[in-house]
Amino acid sequence: MPQKIITPAFNYDQQTVPASPTSGQVWRERSTDNNVVEGWSWNGTYWLSNTKYVTSDVTTSSGLSASRSGFPTPYVGSQLNSGVFILYHVVSGAAATSPQDINNYWNIRFAAGATPISSIFTDEIPNAWLVGSESFSKAVNLAIIGSSFSFDAFWVKSGTPGNLGRASQSLIYSLIR
Amino acid sequence: MLKRSYDSNGELSTIHIQIGIYHAQVPYSPISKSVEWQSIVYEPTKQSIQSAWDDWAKDKDLSVELADRTDLSPAPIAPSPDWAAFNRLAAKNNSITQILTATTNQFAAIQLQLIGSPAGYSVNGLAKEDYPLFQGAWAQVIAGLAAPLAPDVITELNAIATSANMDFTFDSQGLIVY
C-alpha cells in the first residue's frame, strides 16, 4: 500500500532566518528552546508574520478623529530590518444625529507612521455617509520600518453632517522581518 | 512609482517604492539626505528594494526627485481674534471716542457697542454670523460723520485691529472689510 505523503504547510522550520527565500515560501520560526515563535511568509521583499489586529476607539459624541499612538510591535527582529506591513485600515462609525446624506457626509483620511516620525498619508474614503452603523475598509499594502507606530483616521466634514455617535478604527497588519 | 512623505517643514522624511501591489520602504535618511542601503542587513530584502530602486532611478535626477518641498509646509495658523483686547484698545483710543461721539447716528453707535462688547467676554469672540451686523453698524456710524475719516485715523484703526489679531481691516474710507 502506497504511503501517503503529507506536505508540510511550511518550507522552513528553524531558528535562523532562511538565507535565500522565494516568493510564497513559509518559515516556522522556533526559539532556542524549540518553541514556535511565529509564522512568516516571504512576499518577495519582506518576511511577513501571521496577520494581526490593533483597534482604537473613540467614544465621545463629537469625536472627529480616531487615533492610536505608539503601539509597539510585540516582537521585533533582533538582527533584521523590522517594522509593520499594513494590510488594511478599517473604520466604523455610527450616526448620532442627522443629516447624513449625499450633501452632508464625511471624508475619512488615513495616516500611519513610525513614531515619532510624521505620519504618512495612506489613503482616503471620500463621500462616506452613515445610515446607522457603517464600516469602511481600504487596502494599504505599505511597509513602515521602525519599532513603534501610530495610525490615525480623520473624519473631515463635507457639508454639515450630524455628529458621530461612535467611531473606531482597526489596523490589520503583519510584522516585518 | 515612488511615494514620498514630507514632515511639517516640507522636508522629505520617508520614501516608499512600489513593488507589485505593495510599497516597500526605501532606507532614506532625512539626516544625511541620502539612501543608506547598508542599514538593511538582510540581503534578500536589500536586493529586492535596491533592484526596484535602480529600475526607477534610471535617467532620473535624484537631486530633483528627492528635493525638500518647503512649498508643502502648511501656513502657520492665524491667531484667533482677541475681542477683549480689541474692545480695550478701542475704549482707550481718542479717535474712536470722537467718532462715536460725533456721529449723528447715535443709534448705530449704541448698536455697535451692544454687538461688540459681549464678544470681549466670550471665549469664541464675535460669532461669524454677527460680523455683518457689526460691519453695518460701523458703516452707519461713519456715514453719520460730518467729514470723511483722515488717513492717519484709519491707520490707527488698522493698528488696533492688527494688534488684537482681528480678522478684518479698515479700508480707505474707514469701513470694515473681512
Side-chain angles (χ1 to χ4, degrees), chain A:
Chain A
M1 185 177 172
Q3 192 171 2
K4 188 176 179 182
I5 298 172
I6 299 172
T7 306
F10 47 87
N11 306 94
Y12 305 96
D13 186 2
Q14 59 196 56
Q15 293 174 17
T16 55
V17 184
S20 304
T22 58
S23 288
Q25 286 192 326
V26 176
W27 163 38
R28 186 159 74 180
E29 183 186 11
R30 289 187 182 272
S31 62
T32 51
D33 51 4
N34 216 32
N35 288 321
V36 175
V37 175
E38 182 62 83
W40 303 89
S41 61
W42 179 253
N43 77 342
T45 301
Y46 301 112
W47 283 107
L48 302 182
S49 74
N50 295 329
T51 304
K52 302 181 187 303
Y53 305 85
V54 61
T55 299
S56 171
D57 291 312
V58 167
T59 54
T60 56
S61 60
S62 59
L64 296 180
S65 70
S67 65
R68 172 71 179 254
S69 297
F71 76 94
T73 56
Y75 178 87
V76 176
S78 56
Q79 76 277 40
L80 301 175
N81 217 18
S82 58
V84 295
F85 189 89
I86 301 173
L87 297 162
Y88 285 95
H89 204 146
V90 184
V91 296
S92 63
T97 56
S98 297
Q100 305 276 343
D101 55 39
I102 196 168
N103 297 314
N104 302 285
Y105 55 82
W106 305 87
N107 294 312
I108 308 169
R109 293 174 186 160
F110 296 131
T115 52
I117 295 172
S118 57
S119 291
I120 299 165
F121 172 75
T122 57
D123 216 327
E124 180 175 24
I125 296 174
N127 308 349
W129 66 86
L130 307 169
V131 181
S133 296
E134 301 277 345
S135 184
F136 308 92
S137 70
K138 273 284 185 182
V140 180
N141 290 316
L142 181 78
I144 297 178
I145 303 305
S147 57
S148 183
F149 305 88
S150 64
F151 62 105
D152 296 279
F154 302 96
W155 297 68
V156 182
K157 284 182 177 179
S158 180
T160 53
N163 282 342
L164 292 175
R166 297 184 302 278
S168 67
Q169 61 161 347
S170 299
L171 209 62
I172 303 173
Y173 69 100
S174 292
L175 300 176
I176 284 176
R177 286 195 68 171

Side-chain angles (χ1 to χ4, degrees), chain A residues 17-19 21 42-47 79-81 85 117-118 120-122 141-145 177, chain B residues 3 5-8 13-14 16 19 21-26 39-46 48-49:
Chain A
V17 184
W42 179 253
N43 77 342
T45 301
Y46 301 112
W47 283 107
Q79 76 277 40
L80 301 175
N81 217 18
F85 189 89
I117 295 172
S118 57
I120 299 165
F121 172 75
T122 57
N141 290 316
L142 181 78
I144 297 178
I145 303 305
R177 286 195 68 171
Chain B
K3 185 181 181 74
S5 297
Y6 301 87
D7 66 15
S8 56
S13 57
T14 56
H16 287 81
I19 303 176
I21 64 163
Y22 58 89
H23 283 85
Q25 187 167 331
V26 176
S39 68
I40 303 180
V41 179
Y42 188 52
E43 220 28 67
T45 296
K46 187 195 294 186
S48 171
I49 300 173

